[in-house]
Amino acid sequence: MDDAGLSVPVAARGLTKTFGSFRAVDDVDFQVQPGEAFGFLGPNGAGKSSTMRMIGCVSPRTAGDLTVFGLDPTRDGSTIRARLGVVPQEDALDVELNVRENLYVYGRFFDLKRSEIRRRTEELLEFTQLTERADDRVEPLSGGMKRRLTIARALINQPDLVLLDEPTTGLDPQARHLVWDRLYRLKQQGATLILTTHYMDEAEQLCDRLVVMDNGRIVDDGSPRALIDRHCTKEVVELRLAATTDLERSAGHLRRDGLEVEVLPDRILIYADDGEAALSFADGVGLRPESALIRRSTLEDVFLALTGRTLVEAG
Amino acid sequence: MTTPIGHRRYPSVGSVQPPAGTWTTPRFVRVVEYHLVGYRRMWRGSIVRIVISPILYLLSMGIGVGSLVDQRGAVDLAGGSYLAFVAPGLMAAAAMQSASAASLYPVLASVKWLRTAYGQVGTPLRPVDLVVGLQAWFAILALAAAIFFTLVLAVFGVVASPLVVLAPLATVLGGLSFSAPLAAWAMSQQDDHKFSVVFRLIVLPMFLLSGVFFPVEQLPAPLEAVAVVAPLWHTIELTRGLTLGTAGMSDFFHVAVLVAYVIAGCLYGKRTYTRRLYP
Amino acid sequence: MNASGVVAALIPGSSHRWAHVVARNYASTRSAWFATVTGAFEPFLFLASIGIGVSVLVGDVDVDGRTYDYTTFVAPAMLASAAMNGAITEASFNTFGKLRWHRIYHSMTATPLTPTDIAVGEIVYAQLRGTLYSTIFLLAMVVLGLVESWWAVLALPAAVLIGVAFSAAGLAVVTVLRTWQDIDLIVFGQMLLFLFSATFYPLSVYPEPIQMVAQLSPLFHGANLCRDLVLGTVGWYNLINVAVLLGMTVVCSRLAARRFTSLLYK
C-alpha cells in the first residue's frame, strides 16, 4: 500500500466547518500517528462530532486541508471509507435484520467476499461476546450489547483506522467497562483509534494523546498526564457547603490567602499539591463543609482550568 | 409559609380526595382532547383526504365511467344514473378507508414508537378510557367528513330524500365498525408487518367488491355471501337508502349489524389495551 | 454492457455498489414474505371488480373505430397502474421511514457506498416487487384471454419502465418531505394520476381541454403504451410514451441522487 498514506492516518490544517453562520469547527490543526489512540475531549457542541464526520468523509469541509491515509476525503471518499471502521454516536443498527445479518449485510457494503464475511463474523461475535445472541433480533438487545455489535460491525473490514464517536455515552457503568475493555484490547493489538468523549475517565483510560476542544477550537493538546501536569496541581479538594452558604464569599476568603479556587454551582474546588494541608487551611478560615473530598486532578479539572467551565455544564 | 413548588403536602389519613378542579367530565373526554390537540398540527393532510379525494372519485368514476354506463343502460340501478348509484357507496367507502388508516399505524405508534399510551395510563386514565376516547375522536372526525361529503352529493344533484340528513350518522357508524376492531387488533401487534395485508385482504376487497361500484347481486353466490357479511356492504345499503330515498325496515337490521361490530370491537379493544398497557 | 454500466451511464457517480443496497432490502423483507405474496393479489381484485361488476354495466367500449369488451380495455391500464402504485409505495413509504428515523443510511455512508449508490439501489429495489407483480398479472391476462397481440410480450419491459420512472419520482419527492402528513400529498398525487390518466375509459370521454391536460400525466403514457401493446394497436405515438417515461427516469433519479447527497453529507 502507499507508505505515505499509512504513515499519517489523519492530518488536518486550518480545518473549518460552518453551518450557515455557525462555526462548528474553527481552524483546527492536528495529526494522528499510526497505532495511537487519539482523543477529542470536550463538551457537547464543541465540534468533536463534526470533526469526526469530516474524517469519515460524510461531511464536506468548509475550509482548510484534511487528508486521511494521505487521500482527499472530498475526492476519494469511497476509497478512504473502505479502510475505516466507524462507530457512530447513535448505534444505527439495522433493526430489520438480526445480529448476524447486520454484520453480513454491512460486510457486503465493503465488497467483501461472502466466505470472508462469515469467517470474520464468528471472530467478531466472539470478540464482542455476542456469539449467543447471533440469531436474535437487534431491537431487544441491551444498550451495551447494541454498542458492542456496532463495534463488531465497524471491524468487519479489518479497518486501518477506527473512529469512535462517544463510544460509551448512555451506557450503564458495567456496560461501559466492558466496552472499554474491548477497546483496550483493540489498542493493544496495534489498532489506530480516534475517539471523541466528554468523559474524562474514558479519555484517561484509552487515549495516548488528546486534544481539548471548546467552541469549535482546540484549546490544548498532549497526553492526559502532560495536560494535567501543565494545567493542574497534584490534588483537588472538593468542598460541599450547606445550601445557604454564599459560595463566592467563602471562595473569596480562601483566595485572599493565596489558594487557587474554582466555584461550581454546588461546591468549591481548591487546587493544591497537598490536599490535606489545604483542607485544614479551609478549616482554619472557618469553612464548615458538609462533606470534603481530596482526590487526584483529572482531565475534568484541565478542562475547567482551560475554559472556566465543567465538561457537563458546558454542554 | 410558602407553597411548595411541584408537589402537595402528603395528605393526612382520611383526607385522600382528588384536588379541586379535576375529573368533572367522563375520563374518555380527556383522551378526545388529547387527540384534538395533536390534530391541530396535522389537519392539512386530512383535508386533502376528506375534502378533495371524494370529489375526484365522483368525477372520475361517477361521471367518467358513468358516461359509459348510462349510455348503455343495461342494468337498472337504484337511483337511475350511475353517479347516483356510486356516490353514496363512495361516501361509505371513504369513511371505511380513513377509519382503517387511522386505526392501525397511530395505535401501534402509541405503544411502540411514541409510547404515549404508557404516559396516559400513568394518569387516572384506564385502558378502556383510551379505547372509548379514540373511537369518540374518530366519530367526530368521521362526522365532519361525512357532512362535507353529503353537501358534495347535494351539489352533484344526487340527493333524492330528506332522510339524507341521517346519512352522515350512518357513515360514522360504518366507520366505527372498522376502527373499533382494527384499533383493538393493532394494539395486539408487535410490529406493522401485517398492516399492509389488512389493507389488501380486507379493506381493498371490500372497496372493490362489496357494492360500491356495482350491485353485489352480480357477484357469484359464494362471493356474494361473503360480501353481505362485510360491514361496508351494510354501511353502503344504509347510506344509499337514506340518500336516494329507498330506505326501509331492513335498514334497522343494517344498523344492528354495524352496532354489533362496534361493540364487539370495543370489548376486544378493552382486552388488548389492558394486556398491552398493564402487562 | 452490464446493469451497473447502464446505470452509471444514466446517473453519473454511481458504482456497482447499489446492488448491495438491493441485497440489504431483500434480506430485510424476507420476514415479510406474506405481505409480498398478498401484494400480487391486488391487481386481481381490481380486475375482478371490473370483470364481474363494472363491465356488465358498461358493456363494450369503442376506441378509434374498434370495439373492445370493457375488461379487455381496462386490464392493460391496470397493469400500468399496478406498476406505478407498487413503485411509489415502495419508494416513498419505506424510504421515508429510513430517511427520517432509522439511521440505516447513516451507517451505509460509513462504508464505501455513496449517497448516489444508495438512491440507485432504492430505485432498483422499489420496482423489483412491482416487476414480479406485473409478470404475474400479465400471465393472468393471457390466461383470461385479455391479450390480443404478440406485441404484449413487450408490455413487461414497458411495466418495468413505468416502475423505474415512478420509483425515481417517488424517491425524489420523498427527500423533500418532512412529516408523515406530507406523505398524504404523495397519496393524493397517486390518486389523481390513477383516476385521470384515461385508465378507466378512453381519452375521448374527457372534454377537449382536459384531454390535453391528461396527456401531461406520465401514467397516461404508461397506460397508453401498455394498452397499445396488449391490444396490438402499436403506432408512432408509442415512441413518445417511451420517451416521456425514459426522460422522467433520468431526470428524477439524478434529482433523487443529488438530494440524497445533500441530506446524508451535511
Side-chain angles (χ1 to χ4, degrees), chain A residues 222-282:
Chain A
S223 70
R225 200 63 253 161
L227 283 166
I228 292 168
D229 289 347
R230 198 176 307 154
H231 297 285
C232 293
T233 50
K234 261 203 198 86
E235 294 186 326
V236 181
V237 184
E238 290 197 16
L239 300 178
R240 243 170 237 282
L241 297 153
T244 49
T245 316
D246 184 341
L247 293 183
E248 277 301 341
R249 242 189 56 182
S250 308
H253 289 307
L254 296 168
R255 282 201 189 101
R256 201 176 318 134
D257 292 295
L259 285 176
E260 204 181 314
V261 179
E262 281 286 352
V263 180
L264 301 182
D266 58 339
R267 64 212 138 112
I268 290 178
L269 305 183
I270 307 172
Y271 292 98
D273 284 328
D274 183 349
E276 284 295 341
L279 182 57
S280 56
F281 188 86

Side-chain angles (χ1 to χ4, degrees), chain C residues 225-259:
Chain C
L225 182 60
C226 287
R227 188 172 280 149
D228 285 338
L229 289 169
V230 169
L231 303 182
T233 52
V234 181
W236 289 110
Y237 190 74
N238 296 125
L239 290 180
I240 297 179
N241 299 150
V242 173
V244 166
L245 294 168
L246 263 182
M248 182 172 156
T249 305
V250 171
V251 171
C252 291
S253 50
R254 288 184 187 197
L255 210 61
R258 192 181 301 174
R259 283 290 302 159

Side-chain angles (χ1 to χ4, degrees), chain B residues 24-42:
Chain B
T24 49
T25 47
R27 287 181 211 176
F28 78 85
V29 176
R30 308 285 155 186
V31 180
V32 175
E33 274 176 42
Y34 159 79
H35 289 296
L36 180 66
V37 170
Y39 190 67
R40 282 191 210 148
R41 277 180 282 111
M42 46 191 279

Side-chain angles (χ1 to χ4, degrees), chain A residues 3 20 29 35-36 61 92 99 117 119-120 137 176 182 196 204 222 230 233 237 243 245 250 272 278 281 285:
Chain A
D3 285 345
D29 299 346
E36 79 173 337
R61 61 185 184 272
V99 170
I117 299 175
R119 193 178 59 74
R120 298 276 304 151
R137 283 162 42 94
R176 291 180 75 192
R182 296 296 106 176
T196 72
E204 277 180 20
R230 198 176 307 154
T233 50
V237 184
T245 316
S250 308
F281 188 86
V285 300

